[in-house]
Amino acid sequence: MRIYIEKDYDAMSRRAAQVIAAEITHNPSCVLGLATGSTPEGAYKYLVDWHKKGCLSFKDVRSVNLDEYKGLEPTHDQSYRYFMQFHLFDHVDIDPRNTRVPDGLTKDPAAHCAEYDAYIRSLGYVDLQLLGVGRNGHIGFNEPGDCFVKETHVVDLAESTIDANARFFATRDDVPKQAISMGMGAIMGAKKVLLAASGAEKADAILGCVCGPITPRCPASILQLHPNVVIVVDEAAGSKLKAAGVPVCG
Ligand code: F6R
């Protein structure tokens, strides 16, 4: 793992955006695995800015998103499809036909999940997978549990995830209780993984991810088995790594 500890959210976002932009520049038709939530918003702003300045094109990029709330239509302002349009897709030259987000309204979740995995396989898997991390160590919506789940699947969101995401909804009751999430097979099948995090409330999850026991109780810990992981955090999220003496790049 290569670990970068940046001074704040903006520096963390810029570093994450640089890793993504480098991937696109190196391989213009790359497959990006994309995340939503507060963490990548800043990185997407940088990517949009660099695109508008003419430095970066998404023309041939293909993308697959990690997850979507079950029961939210794509036009709902808290759906992850809406998030991606709002923060990235509507502002760059990506071909809309090359963007995929799980369908939260699918009538046949099992078939939809199998198709999602088949699509990822048909692309030759993801070249660069962007991840945030939950306070409980989830990646995508692979919540802590007894085993790692390989395939895309329907997830019951953990109470702590519902609590954390209630800030985006009018009331906690409005937060969907289930989501469709890529499984660990597609995440670990990515050629490169970029995990970003900011804020002190992520410090334990980052410590568990980097040097805790590899266990489905902390899903991000599986990344210790991946050969090509870049972790970009701000000082607050990286504070426990520093205290534990973990070597970092910057
Ligand atoms: C979102 C996702 C989640 C988030 C995680 C952190 O697509 O897969 O794992 O990355 O819940 O969310 P934020 O960034 O809002 O703290």
Side-chain angles (χ1 to χ4, degrees), residues 52-128:
K52 290 199 165 143
K53 288 180 171 142
C55 309
L56 190 64
S57 172
F58 291 74
K59 188 169 66 66
D60 297 319
V61 167
R62 283 85 45 85
S63 75
V64 282
N65 262 76
L66 279 167
D67 39 27
E68 178 60 281
Y69 286 120
K70 201 149 175 291
L72 292 196
E73 56 274 18
T75 51
H76 189 291
D77 65 3
Q78 291 308 326
S79 77
Y80 287 168
R81 166 54 79 175
Y82 185 96
F83 176 102
M84 291 309 304
Q85 295 300 137
F86 185 83
H87 290 284
L88 185 67
F89 298 155
D90 286 347
H91 312 288
V92 297
D93 57 347
I94 198 164
D95 182 337
R97 291 168 303 180
N98 287 338
T99 70
R100 296 286 163 100
V101 180
D103 177 4
L105 295 183
T106 179
K107 297 264 181 300
D108 187 344
H112 181 63
C113 290
E115 277 163 23
Y116 207 73
D117 283 331
Y119 179 67
I120 294 169
R121 280 195 302 276
S122 77
L123 296 174
Y125 285 88
V126 166
D127 291 302
L128 175 64

Side-chain angles (χ1 to χ4, degrees), residues 161-191:
T161 300
I162 294 170
D163 289 341
N165 290 1
R167 69 192 193 278
F168 298 116
F169 292 82
T171 72
R172 189 184 187 279
D173 285 346
D174 295 328
V175 184
K177 307 293 176 281
Q178 289 189 313
I180 295 175
S181 178
M182 232 187 231
M184 293 302 195
I187 292 172
M188 292 298 281
K191 294 172 189 78

Side-chain angles (χ1 to χ4, degrees), residues 9 34-41 65-68 80 83-84 130-142 161 164-165 167-168 181 196-198 201-202:
Y9 177 81
L34 296 176
T36 60
S38 307
T39 307
E41 274 184 33
N65 262 76
L66 279 167
D67 39 27
E68 178 60 281
Y80 287 168
F83 176 102
M84 291 309 304
L130 173 62
L131 298 173
V133 64
R135 295 167 197 197
N136 63 4
H138 72 220
I139 49 177
F141 275 136
N142 292 276
T161 300
N165 290 1
R167 69 192 193 278
F168 298 116
S181 178
S198 78
E201 67 279 8
K202 301 289 177 70

Side-chain angles (χ1 to χ4, degrees), residues 139-174:
I139 49 177
F141 275 136
N142 292 276
E143 298 283 25
D146 295 334
C147 57
F148 294 114
V149 179
K150 183 178 174 197
E151 290 85 13
T152 296
H153 56 294
V154 175
V155 185
D156 291 330
L157 295 177
E159 290 298 318
S160 63
T161 300
I162 294 170
D163 289 341
N165 290 1
R167 69 192 193 278
F168 298 116
F169 292 82
T171 72
R172 189 184 187 279
D173 285 346
D174 295 328

